[in-house]
Amino acid sequence: MTLTLRRVVAGIFFAALAGCDSSQPLSGKSAQKAVCTNPVAGEVSYCEQRDYPDLATSGSAQMRSTNGFVYATGDGRSTISLTALVYAKAATEARAKEIAAQVVVHTSDDDFYATGPENLQSAESWGVSFDAMTPATFNLNAHSLNDNLQLSALNGNLDASTTNGDARLNGLSGSVQAATTNGSITISLAGTSWTGEGLRADASNGSVFFGAPADYSARVTLDAQNGTTESDFSGGTTTEPSPTDSHYEVTLGNGGALLTGSARNGNAELRQQNSTP
């Protein structure tokens, strides 16, 4: 089975398993929370929503999903509002509920993760996805396993990573590190320049896409191994260190913070904001 097919199969499996709506990004939709929906036809599964609406925070947190997605969006609040989608799969709905009841969502000390039963039958599984609203100025270490990750409207020290999933970074600022294994990264830049130290995005077995307004100011470098670098902006330079590698760099507008994208076995692209990767 090819790598791409494995990623597609994994995404279909966990979406069906959860019976949860994780297909729509939350950027610009802070009032629209991810919720449990009807299970996919033919799947015996169970999903429940657990809400933690007013969690105190020191301003820094760690969020790790178990076979689920992670969404985090910043706004003017001072606490964290967290929705956990807990799902389970088994031969019967009663058994799936029994598995879900053993899943514990941990929310203390700014450390958000889940633990659950380990000795399951081969056709049984469980997972937890997180959808959080946080203060806009916030430090976050976020990781999603076997699903996607999205951070929006956050300013701080941000470390985002996925395993077998894609990452979307929308309107961020500060010092940002993002990485995927078997996934791609899409960065949507907002405003006219980056505020803070800068951003580095690394995709293994995937691509990196930047979307920037036409009047944006920053320094951008792109690297692709076994792929190409492409840009809609003028004035940049492209070099090819080897027949299969490409390097691109450009100063947009007045320059500023350094934004770096590196793709292995994929492309690295810089597009004007309204372009679709």
Side-chain angles (χ1 to χ4, degrees), residues 151-155 158 169-174 176 188 190 194-195 199:
L151 304 184
S152 302
L154 293 169
N155 176 13
L158 307 174
L169 312 177
N170 303 319
L172 303 182
S173 55
V176 179
S188 295
W194 184 273
T195 301
L199 174 146

Side-chain angles (χ1 to χ4, degrees), residues 1-17:
M1 184 182 293
T2 65
L3 171 63
T4 299
L5 182 57
R6 285 200 302 270
R7 290 174 58 196
V8 171
V9 170
I12 293 173
F13 172 77
F14 285 106
L17 171 64

Side-chain angles (χ1 to χ4, degrees), residues 1 6 23 47 49 53 68 73 79 111 143 154 159 187 194-195 253 260 265 276:
M1 184 182 293
R6 285 200 302 270
S23 60
C47 178
Q49 178 175 322
T73 303
T79 59
D111 191 4
H143 178 73
L154 293 169
D159 192 334
I187 303 111
W194 184 273
T195 301
T260 299
N265 299 322
T276 301

Side-chain angles (χ1 to χ4, degrees), residues 17 43-46 88-99 123-125:
L17 171 64
E43 293 288 339
V44 178
S45 59
Y46 172 74
K89 181 181 179 182
T92 66
E93 183 177 0
R95 173 57 179 159
K97 288 183 177 180
E98 181 182 342
I99 294 171
E124 297 179 340
S125 54

Side-chain angles (χ1 to χ4, degrees), residues 215-239:
D215 61 348
Y216 201 78
S217 292
R219 294 175 294 133
V220 179
T221 64
L222 304 176
D223 287 285
Q225 299 178 21
N226 297 320
T228 63
T229 58
E230 300 180 22
S231 176
D232 291 340
F233 291 85
S234 61
T237 59
T238 300
T239 56

Side-chain angles (χ1 to χ4, degrees), residues 153-165:
L154 293 169
N155 176 13
N157 295 320
L158 307 174
D159 192 334
S161 60
T162 69
T163 302
N164 299 323

Side-chain angles (χ1 to χ4, degrees), residues 188-205:
S188 295
L189 302 172
T192 58
S193 64
W194 184 273
T195 301
E197 184 175 332
L199 174 146
R200 181 174 181 85
D202 296 285
S204 297
N205 297 315

